[in-house]
Structures are given as structure tokens and as C-alpha cells.
Amino acid sequence: MPQASTAARTRWTNWAGNQSTVPARVVTPGSAEELAKEILRAADRSETVKAVGSGHSFTAIASAGNGVLVRPHGLTAVRGIDHGNGTVTVEAGLPLHRLNRLLAAAGLSLTNMGDIDVQTVAGATSTGTHGTGRDSGSLAAQIRGLEIVLADGSVRHCSPTEHPELFEAARLGLGALGVITALTLAVEPAFLLTAHEQPMRFDEVLHRLDDLTAVNEHFEFYWFPHTDRCATKRNNRSQGPAAPLPRFKEWLEDDFLSNTVWEGACRVGRRFPASVPTIAALASRAWSDRSYTDTAHRVFTSPRKVRFVEMEYAVPRASVGEVLRELRALVERSRWRISFPVEVRFAPADEVWLSTAHGRDTAYIAVHLYRGTEEQGYFTAVERLMTEHGGRPHWGKLHTRDAEYLAGVYPRFAEFTALRDELDPDRRFGNDYLRRVLGA
């Protein structure tokens, strides 16, 4: 069994490079019991404790400040696969890409995923990572049980029937209630997806949006600011046979063009902002009509190597057309130069307390800026627009909302914070970000 290890004053930086911290200690526990000892040790020293995953959040949600940083590398085991009940139990630090390979080898699959697979299982679920789906929701909505270490060092096992209140709160718990050490996820027999990617005009997408989201299991699109062009993607289950992209074509289009060439274009746009509309027009026309059929996780996810910062808001599904038209008008009357496309995805209502899709069918609108690009008020104006429509910010992406605002858009917010007060009165798992979004 791996042993807990410590290292003094080690700097941690997230993937985007916009968040960093130098904790007092870094620990890598190999079991829930080792983690409990580290939490009690931190309590004796009046230190906070924060667990990190792969660092793919853009907010400071995982920042340990001057406290103890828990690294995930010692908690990556697969504890069991239950084919009969359709579940897999894995430890919290297992990266999603490894989980996908393990499930594929067992003839199984997650029902839905986001568009990257580098996050740890607990990091992805605790921040509300989601993909797009007509009938299937976020990763947190697929959790069927979890193991969590609380501030008093106790280890709790939770499910809909065992500590159900803690289960409902902790499956998307922001790291505020304790440190998750294992998760049980719903899985199903492996399946194929056929992806159909097609360029389309902005107005056509919005005109056909109800139909596109109703007839496709997974629909998303990207709008290129400074143009009227969108790239759409429809993913639907297929009986096969598999017809994946040829390896060279996949590398050329999904790696070389989408990452290497795109990185160069973004650098040019950052250095010469006046060139951005031309770059956007060229990029939007580079998307062509194509279809392929492959294993589900290979269709859901793609390599994302170009680094950026991101803001994403969840708005009521019924409002998305109006919001996007207002966003387009904002861009057209501004002097902004936006090189990254706006990403739009969808999810059904769920019951997870702090899920951005809690209680309402949801559309997600994500805006990005290439790393090092001047913000110019873009995120500020987009956030104002989203909040005018009752938007809920993604917990792991940039926003300025506080507890007062969030209490008004989450019906179970008070119950969550009351449970936090009960389980962590000394804020052992607190940091500046959680104080802002949950209250002191």
C-alpha cells in the first residue's frame, strides 16, 4: 500500500496557469485511513486541507492557500466492477482516461462524458463537469455511492439509502464537506456512437435548435465570433459497424489542425488583435462535413492542448436562443477581438443539490480567451448577460458570483450550507473561493 508522503513548500499551478499556491505541506495518502490521519494532524496544527485533481479548474476551488494540499496519485485503484448492478467503484484520483480504458476492457462505458478525459474522477464530479445530452446528465448525476473522509477523521459511505442527505450534497460538493476517496458510478454495456459534424449558419442553428436537440441524443455547437458560422456536432448511438476516422486523418484534423495550427493562430491573434476576425473566418471555414462511428468515449472526448481560460454559465434551456442573440449583438457592437469559438451544450434537469442543471432543463454557454489575452471586459459583459437570465456559473470556471447571488438560483443552497456548518464548523476544508461562493 502506498504510504503518505510529504514535501515542503512545493508550488502547485493549475493547467491554465492562472491559479497557483504554495501550501505548507503536500501529502499523497494511499488510503482513506491515511488521509484521515493527515486531516487530524492538520486540525492539531490549525491548517486547512484541500484535495486537488488534475488542475483543470480555472477557479481557485482547489487552492490550499497556506494549508495542506492532498495529491490524488495514491488513490487510483479500481475497487470493483459489478456487471449485474451496472456499477464500477473506483478511487477518487483515477483519471478519466484510465477509467475509460478499464471500462472498455470490461465491455462497459459511462453513459455520458465531457469533452476531455484528463480530469480525476473526483475532481470532475465535485466541480460539475458535464457533456451534452438530451437524456443523460453530468458525471455527478451518474454517481451511485461514495466514500468521504470528514473533518473529524471519520470515513462515511453514502448512497441514496445510506446517509442520503450527505450523498445528495457530496456528489457535487465542491470539496467543501470533506475529501472524497472513492466513487461508485453507474455504467452500461459498451456502445458505439456515430458523430456527424456539419457547418451551419448561426441563424439556421437557432431556427432548428428545438429539433436538433430533440432528435439527437447528444447535440452541441460552436459559434465563431465575428462570423455567422457555427460548427455543429450530433452524436447518436449506433449498431455499428465501427468506422473510426483513419489514424492519419484523426491526427491531422483533431490534433495537428485543432491544436498545433490553432495554437499558432491564437498567438498571432494575441499579438495582432486586428487579425482576429480574419482568423475566425478562416477557422470557421476549416470545419467540414464529416461522419464517423467509434467507441463512445473516443467520440465524446478530444485532445485539448491549446491553453486558455474559460467562463461557462448554465441558463434555462428555454432562454438559450435569446441569450445567444444578445451575446452576438454584444460582440458586434464591441471592440473585442475574440479568437475562441463560443461553445453551447445541453443537459436535462437533475436533482443534484448544487448541479448547474438542478431542477431545470439547461443550456450551457461557454466563452474562452487564449492564455495571456487581455480580457477587455468580455467576460464581465458576458457574465452580466448570463445573470440577467438567471444563469448559474460552472463551479470550476471563472466567475465573480457570491453566496448571496447563488442562494437565489439554487433551491437547495441553504440545505447544503447548513450541512457544511454541521460537518465542518471549523472550515477545515475551506479556502477563499469557498468563502465567496458559500459564505463564511
Side-chain angles (χ1 to χ4, degrees):
M1 176 182 294
Q3 296 297 309
S5 62
T6 64
R9 313 309 290 177
T10 300
R11 177 173 292 277
W12 171 85
T13 302
N14 70 339
W15 175 83
N18 69 316
Q19 304 289 346
S20 65
T21 185
V22 182
R25 291 184 293 122
V26 177
V27 301
T28 310
S31 67
E33 291 71 26
E34 286 182 9
L35 174 59
K37 291 178 181 177
E38 293 292 349
I39 291 173
L40 293 176
R41 181 184 177 193
D44 289 341
R45 298 182 176 192
S46 298
E47 296 171 324
T48 57
V49 178
K50 294 305 299 177
V52 299
S54 62
H56 264 263
S57 290
F58 302 93
T59 63
I61 190 169
S63 176
N66 196 37
V68 179
L69 187 75
V70 179
R71 300 288 286 180
H73 314 305
L75 292 166
T76 60
V78 177
R79 294 190 179 177
I81 296 176
D82 186 334
H83 286 267
N85 289 318
T87 60
V88 60
T89 301
V90 299
E91 291 184 337
L94 185 70
L96 287 169
H97 62 87
R98 285 178 55 191
L99 173 62
N100 285 331
R101 290 200 299 269
L102 290 162
L103 289 176
L108 298 169
S109 177
L110 294 169
T111 298
N112 200 355
M113 290 194 67
D115 54 12
I116 60 172
D117 61 3
V118 297
Q119 311 100 310
T120 61
V121 177
T125 56
S126 295
T127 55
T129 295
H130 63 90
T132 189
R134 180 189 61 200
D135 309 307
S136 52
S138 70
L139 286 169
Q142 298 172 58
I143 295 175
R144 298 296 178 263
L146 59 88
E147 176 185 87
I148 184 171
V149 184
L150 303 179
D152 62 3
S154 62
V155 180
R156 295 268 185 95
H157 295 87
C158 312
S159 71
T161 57
E162 185 179 12
H163 303 295
E165 185 179 57
L166 178 57
F167 171 75
E168 291 297 343
R171 55 179 172 157
L172 202 169
L174 316 181
L177 305 176
V179 178
I180 292 174
T181 47
L183 292 160
T184 297
L185 293 160
V187 292
E188 59 177 295
F191 57 93
L192 297 172
L193 285 175
T194 293
H196 181 203
E197 299 172 6
Q198 181 182 26
M200 199 176 292
R201 301 288 182 181
F202 181 89
D203 288 336
E204 182 185 1
V205 173
L206 295 193
H207 177 71
R208 296 178 54 191
L209 193 55
D210 287 345
D211 179 61
L212 289 167
T213 54
V215 302
N216 293 292
E217 293 174 89
H218 309 276
F219 175 76
E220 62 186 308
F221 69 95
Y222 301 80
W223 166 58
F224 293 83
H226 314 296
T227 80
D228 67 346
R229 298 179 67 85
C230 298
T232 68
K233 185 174 183 180
R234 288 168 264 189
N235 297 333
N236 291 287
R237 297 197 184 208
S238 171
Q239 297 301 311
L245 292 170
R247 287 293 179 89
F248 178 77
K249 183 178 178 65
E250 180 182 25
W251 169 82
L252 178 66
E253 297 179 357
D254 293 347
D255 196 341
F256 181 69
L257 293 177
S258 296
N259 289 294
T260 306
V261 173
W262 182 239
E263 175 89 40
C266 288
R267 289 181 179 179
V268 170
R270 183 178 63 188
R271 179 68 178 85
F272 303 102
S275 68
V276 167
T278 300
I279 292 171
L282 291 172
S284 68
R285 293 179 183 279
W287 282 72
S288 58
D289 199 313
R290 69 175 188 174
S291 296
Y292 57 95
T293 301
D294 208 340
T295 305
H297 71 85
R298 288 179 54 81
V299 176
F300 283 136
T301 65
S302 302
R304 293 286 183 266
K305 299 176 183 178
V306 180
R307 304 204 180 206
F308 52 84
V309 292
E310 180 178 357
M311 170 183 287
E312 182 179 62
Y313 266 79
V315 299
R317 168 65 183 83
S319 302
V320 67
E322 180 183 357
V323 175
L324 287 170
R325 289 186 179 93
E326 291 183 32
L327 175 56
R328 183 182 183 182
L330 274 176
V331 172
E332 289 176 346
R333 66 174 178 260
S334 76
R335 301 185 66 180
W336 303 328
R337 293 295 178 261
I338 311 302
S339 56
F340 263 79
V342 174
E343 182 179 19
V344 185
R345 294 177 287 176
F346 304 88
D350 65 42
E351 297 180 353
V352 182
W353 284 9
L354 292 188
S355 167
T356 44
H358 178 86
R360 69 188 191 192
D361 292 339
T362 293
Y364 294 98
I365 301 173
V367 295
H368 314 70
L369 288 172
Y370 179 59
R371 60 178 174 175
T373 302
E374 184 181 354
E375 199 270 343
Q376 304 176 74
Y378 178 46
F379 280 9
T380 301
V382 169
E383 185 170 43
R384 185 181 304 116
L385 169 61
M386 300 301 169
T387 56
E388 288 172 355
H389 291 271
R392 297 168 177 165
H394 189 299
W395 298 104
K397 299 179 184 180
L398 295 176
H399 69 94
T400 66
R401 298 301 88 193
D402 59 15
E404 181 181 3
Y405 175 87
L406 295 165
V409 294
Y410 283 98
R412 310 299 290 270
F413 188 86
E415 291 166 84
F416 184 94
T417 55
L419 185 60
R420 180 195 186 208
D421 290 342
E422 175 189 336
L423 297 177
D424 189 18
D426 298 325
R427 300 296 186 262
R428 189 68 50 221
F429 306 113
N431 61 13
D432 288 344
Y433 176 82
L434 293 179
R435 279 186 285 276
R436 172 164 67 86
V437 300
L438 297 177

